[in-house]
Amino acid sequence: MNKCLLLGDEAVALGAIHAGLSGVYAYPGTPSTEITEYIQGNKLARERGIHSRWCTNEKTAMEAALGMSYAGRRALVCMKHVGMNVCADAFVNSAITGVGGGLVVLAADDPSMHSSQNEQDSRFYGKFAMIPILEPSNQQEAYDMTRYAFDLSEQLRVPVLLRIVTRLAHSRAAVEVGEAREMNALNPSTDQWVLLPGIARRKYISLINKQVDMKHAAEQSAFNRCGQKKSRLGIIACGIAYNYVMENKADDTDVLKLSQYPLPEDMVFDFALAHDCLLVAEDGQPFVEELVKRLVGSSYLVFGRLTGQLPRTGELTPDCLRPFFTDGQIDTSKTDVKANEASPFAVPDIVAPRPPQLCKGCGHRDVYAALNQVLADYPDHRVFGDIGCYTLGALPPFKALSSCVDMGASITMAKGAADAGLYPAVAIIGDSTFTHSGMTGLLDAVNDKSNITVVISDNLTTGMTGGQDSAGTSKYEAICTALGVEPEHVRVVVPLPKNMPEITRILREEIEYNGVSVIIPRRECIQTAARHAREKKK
Amino acid sequence: MKKDIILCGVGGQGILSIATIIGEAATQADINLKQAEVHGMSQRGGDVQSNLRLSTDTIYSDLIPLGGADLIISMEPMEALRYLPYLAQDGVVVTSNQPFVNIPDYPEADKLAEAYSKLPHVVELDIEQAAHEAGNARSSNMVLLGMAAPYINIIGVDQLRQAISTVFARKGEAVVEANLKAFDAGVAIGQKQ
């Protein structure tokens, strides 16, 4: 056995490589990015020619992985939780087509929204698509479960959802790794994959019939296990929440560790029978808590996030679980978790928040400086923002944005607001976000001759997640004109303080133009520029 | 035996290098380790922290419980105060005393000093100056690690030195030497305080 110090993300990546992976398909997104990056840098992955180039978005990634699975090889799709929304069409239907080679979909959830717009729990997607879900509690399980997930996928002929959370994705620990399995040979599926209604109905019934096997796998899983202790309270600890329970030295309390779904109902029911009441500890939304409540009936006490014994929002911590052990007994009236009682020291009042900022010298800064200068003359203006470093333009000193919702929404929201009569309606979107989900919205605007001004702030990279390749680099003018934007209204500028007169003049001209115009301020991200300079020196 | 450490500072100050070196030393010494760090948005000039847990027993949680940290190692004086609820009663704060001011409402120097006067165990220094005197202004994080070394006593000072050599080896001998020199300066200063 070989021991490696790995991030949770890296443990997933190495587990996949060692499971005989042939391709990883992903769009960068915190906290999932390091999985694909690890595979890109791994020696064995390079020797084996494992596909690892970034995809344009999560939907193209999911579909390409499904294609590789169709061809009989093992494929991994990685994304942050909101990426599941983007690929949902392909994801849900992949459960109905079934798989050829093992197909594992990794969703990295972000409870507490460290780098996200919501804290949706991907396990709901797994249940919705009716496929097995695995939820590792630590780095070793992340490695082991990834290997197991590919076997399970091929055994049950369905994709498997692997769900991790930020705290596991970005935490390092020693992992014992095994030997690498061989890759699957090319073996195109001979099954029926054409989801015409008549066929889809048959395949949907087949998926429902597989539920028995999925549940059986969860009941028998080595990753689901319970102790045999006598205690009034039984704790169901899901995924990483198991660590927070154990951190409190739960020696006298019986714990059911859950890491594989669908819910092993027999195991949970027997566990409930052995205790007087249950606490469900899970990171994310109360997914298991709701299922357990339904299983045991309304007369049985089940505590958790829904009943206020654990916080309704945010990631769990060891402190959330502490009251259950210090008190000796559960105080069911306790709905306010006072974890701070454990602290000898408090944060002094003088400590000020230090929010993230755009880097000094960043091109986005010049774009916002120019926009604010021009838009000062248009008091009714609104700027619709998007997802990336440039979302920080919402904060001081720029305070330039009115919205930031989801990938690509800047263009389409500006269009809708313009349709409603708002003027000037300006959209600001990054280069990578534009190819991810902005192009189709721009086509809508062109077809409707909407009066919007779109700024594609092009820093030649996917900056926010650490500088990954951007799918459309060097193609933006061509994409915009091909979608129908008038060539004379596709304007390129270089965002530098010295060019401010030119940039503001062009912005003003295009805001005055009644129709769709695109301004592309283009200057390389200073972080990637510095990295490229260092690489050149070597 | 266990040692729970919060490493903190402002994005870009090099706290993750400190974490990497302690992690390498712990791995070589066969001590259990968990190290949770922050990636993504916070790296852009915002506050960053890493929870580093070392133990001879099994470590469950990736996060240090409130009141559980034996040590706060900070590249910036106000940032150390942000994590005080995690500090144990007899915990130690090892910090740079040079403010990094990139926000408008950064506290006044006397207010900062007053907050520090209420803490029982503080080791502080102008680490940039010390690094400059040791010959390499860019290795101030290694000065800080040196100052903290006596308090990370689950790993020896020699094991940390070895880890610095290993981690910086690919950058060449000159870089290794510069970092070791900064580290040694920090150790000497830490012992004096």
Side-chain angles (χ1 to χ4, degrees), chain A residues 22 32 59 61 70 136 167 179 203 218 227 236 248 265 291 325 336 363 379 396 454 478 486 521:
Chain A
S22 291
S32 70
K59 180 171 180 286
Y70 177 91
R167 201 53 65 184
E179 296 295 317
K203 297 209 68 143
I236 298 179
N248 286 284
E265 292 181 343
L291 293 174
F325 302 100
D336 180 23
V454 178
E486 298 292 335

Side-chain angles (χ1 to χ4, degrees), chain A residues 236-386:
Chain A
I236 298 179
C238 312
I240 199 167
Y242 177 73
N243 301 344
Y244 303 138
V245 172
M246 298 308 287
E247 181 69 24
N248 286 284
K249 300 200 171 36
D251 294 343
D252 301 325
T253 310
D254 204 13
V255 177
L256 167 57
K257 179 182 181 303
L258 272 192
S259 278
Q260 181 170 345
Y261 315 91
L263 191 74
E265 292 181 343
D266 301 346
M267 189 185 260
V268 171
F269 199 82
D270 289 346
F271 188 72
L273 283 179
H275 304 284
D276 295 341
C277 52
L278 296 178
L279 171 74
V280 179
E282 54 191 323
D283 213 359
Q285 295 174 310
F287 171 76
V288 169
E289 190 178 343
E290 282 182 350
L291 293 174
V292 169
K293 268 181 189 292
R294 198 162 65 203
L295 183 71
V296 298
S298 58
S299 58
Y300 192 105
L301 283 175
V302 178
F303 305 117
R305 287 183 183 268
L306 289 171
T307 52
Q309 275 73 24
L310 292 174
R312 185 67 181 83
T313 65
E315 79 173 320
L316 286 185
T317 67
D319 307 303
C320 302
L321 274 304
R322 192 197 312 250
F324 294 97
F325 302 100
T326 50
D327 290 356
Q329 290 214 358
I330 290 197
D331 178 358
T332 52
S333 64
K334 184 176 272 180
T335 55
D336 180 23
V337 184
K338 290 202 181 66
N340 272 313
E341 286 165 5
S343 300
F345 305 99
V347 182
D349 296 339
I350 54 163
V351 174
R354 198 188 302 258
Q357 300 173 353
L358 289 169
C359 304
K360 282 204 177 79
C362 167
H364 295 315
R365 281 183 174 269
D366 302 308
V367 172
Y368 281 118
L371 257 183
N372 280 354
Q373 191 184 325
V374 172
L375 291 173
D377 297 338
Y378 299 88
D380 298 330
H381 78 269
R382 290 288 190 279
V383 179
F384 299 90
D386 226 301

Side-chain angles (χ1 to χ4, degrees), chain B residues 74-77 95-100 106 112 116 123-128 144 147 193:
Chain B
S74 179
M75 291 292 292
E76 207 281 341
T95 183
S96 159
N97 62 15
Q98 294 300 299
F100 184 96
Y106 194 92
L112 209 54
Y116 268 94
V123 181
E124 55 163 329
L125 182 75
D126 182 346
I127 55 171
E128 277 163 50
L144 189 71
M147 285 159 63
Q193 284 206 8

Side-chain angles (χ1 to χ4, degrees), chain A residues 42 65 67 100 107 116 157 164 189 201 269 273 372 375 406 411 414 416 529:
Chain A
N42 180 271
S116 305
R157 320 300 299 165
I164 59 173
S189 175
R201 279 181 214 118
F269 199 82
L273 283 179
N372 280 354
L375 291 173
D406 68 277
I411 297 176

